[in-house]
């Protein structure tokens, strides 16, 4: 009986950058027509610098590897730059297209949640293409709740696409307080 290779979740390294960029580029270019300016796509040195900055500021930046090959990665950035938001992060997870449906996203999500909680973050926010049912289900399994819908914010596959905003608390005391009472009409 052949044993499946073990998937390892670990912090990223400079040597992972090219594989991470290949995964990222495939995801962001899917559904976008030829000739659209992609000058914002990070280059290897950009990603190396971003990695270094995120890690020095305690922001998790992790990869999933199988037999030494990078098969996915995940990271967080500040949700907003103002100081009041310093405990809330926005996350991204990317899985190599040949490894989707093999539990890589779940392992990355678990690793990212654990790392964010250990770093003292209180809330995680994510934006998901509304047609990406696999990602929506993954987030639901990890107790993310839908908190918003951004209609028609992306143009892919020749049509306007919606984004779903999801949120997850990371520990005791991090539950969002009830909304304030309505403003007086007097």
């Amino acid at each position: 009986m052949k044993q499946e290779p073990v998937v390892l979740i670990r912090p990223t390294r400079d040597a992972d950058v090219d594989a991470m960029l290949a995964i990222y580029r495939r995801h962001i270019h899917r559904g976008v027509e030829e000739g659209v300016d992609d000058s914002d796509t990070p280059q290897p040195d950009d990603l190396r610098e971003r990695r270094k900055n995120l890690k020095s500021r305690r922001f998790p930046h992790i990869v999933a590897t199988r037999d030494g090959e990078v098969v996915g990665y995940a990271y967080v950035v500040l949700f907003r730059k103002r100081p009041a938001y310093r405990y809330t992060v926005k996350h991204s997870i990317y899985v190599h297209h040949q490894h989707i449906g093999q539990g890589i996203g779940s392992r990355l999500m678990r690793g990212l949640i654990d790392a964010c909680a250990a770093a003292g973050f209180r809330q995680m926010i994510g934006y998901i293409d509304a047609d990406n049912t696999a990602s929506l289900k993954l987030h639901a399994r990890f107790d993310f709740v839908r908190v918003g819908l951004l209609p028609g914010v992306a143009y892919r596959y020749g049509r306007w696409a919606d984004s779903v905003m999801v949120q997850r608390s990371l520990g005791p005391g991090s539950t969002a307080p009830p909304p304030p009472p309505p403003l007086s009409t007097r």
Side-chain angles (χ1 to χ4, degrees):
M1 180 183 281
K2 185 179 176 186
Q3 190 146 65
E4 282 293 312
V6 174
V7 174
L8 173 69
I9 304 297
R10 62 165 172 76
T12 61
R13 302 175 183 148
D14 273 348
D16 302 325
V17 165
D18 289 334
M20 291 185 322
L21 278 176
I23 293 168
Y24 176 77
R25 285 180 179 136
R26 185 171 199 288
H27 278 281
I28 64 161
H29 289 180
R30 290 195 64 222
V32 178
E33 58 272 12
E34 290 285 325
V36 171
D37 180 24
D38 68 347
S39 59
D40 280 350
T41 301
Q43 298 303 309
D45 288 342
D46 301 330
L47 187 54
R48 282 185 188 88
E49 190 62 30
R50 182 184 304 167
R51 255 189 80 256
K52 190 166 54 172
N53 286 336
L54 291 173
K55 291 177 75 130
S56 71
R57 295 175 59 208
R58 83 187 195 311
F59 294 102
H61 202 277
I62 59 177
V63 293
T65 62
R66 180 179 277 156
D67 284 342
E69 176 192 359
V70 173
V71 294
Y73 73 101
Y75 64 93
V76 299
V77 297
L78 274 178
F79 173 63
R80 298 276 188 266
K81 292 183 180 180
R82 298 217 178 0
Y85 298 99
R86 67 191 175 278
Y87 297 107
T88 302
V89 291
K90 180 174 66 98
H91 72 283
S92 295
I93 296 177
Y94 296 98
V95 176
H96 189 284
H97 67 280
Q98 292 177 334
H99 297 273
I100 290 174
Q102 299 174 17
I104 305 299
S106 292
R107 291 171 190 251
L108 283 166
M109 181 67 82
R110 172 52 48 211
L112 201 56
I113 289 169
D114 292 348
C116 286
F121 294 111
R122 308 311 294 153
Q123 300 286 329
M124 287 178 71
I125 305 290
Y127 296 95
I128 305 164
D129 185 298
D131 292 331
N132 190 341
T133 55
S135 184
L136 291 168
K137 287 178 182 178
L138 170 70
H139 283 80
R141 279 197 314 272
F142 282 91
D143 299 324
F144 282 82
V145 295
R146 181 178 169 154
V147 294
L149 177 70
L150 303 168
V153 293
Y155 191 77
R156 296 178 32 203
Y157 299 106
R159 64 180 182 80
W160 290 104
D162 301 342
S163 286
V164 174
M165 184 178 181
V166 296
Q167 181 176 354
R168 184 192 197 279
S169 295
L170 293 173
S174 61
T175 305
L183 294 174
S184 172
T185 56
R186 290 192 246 168

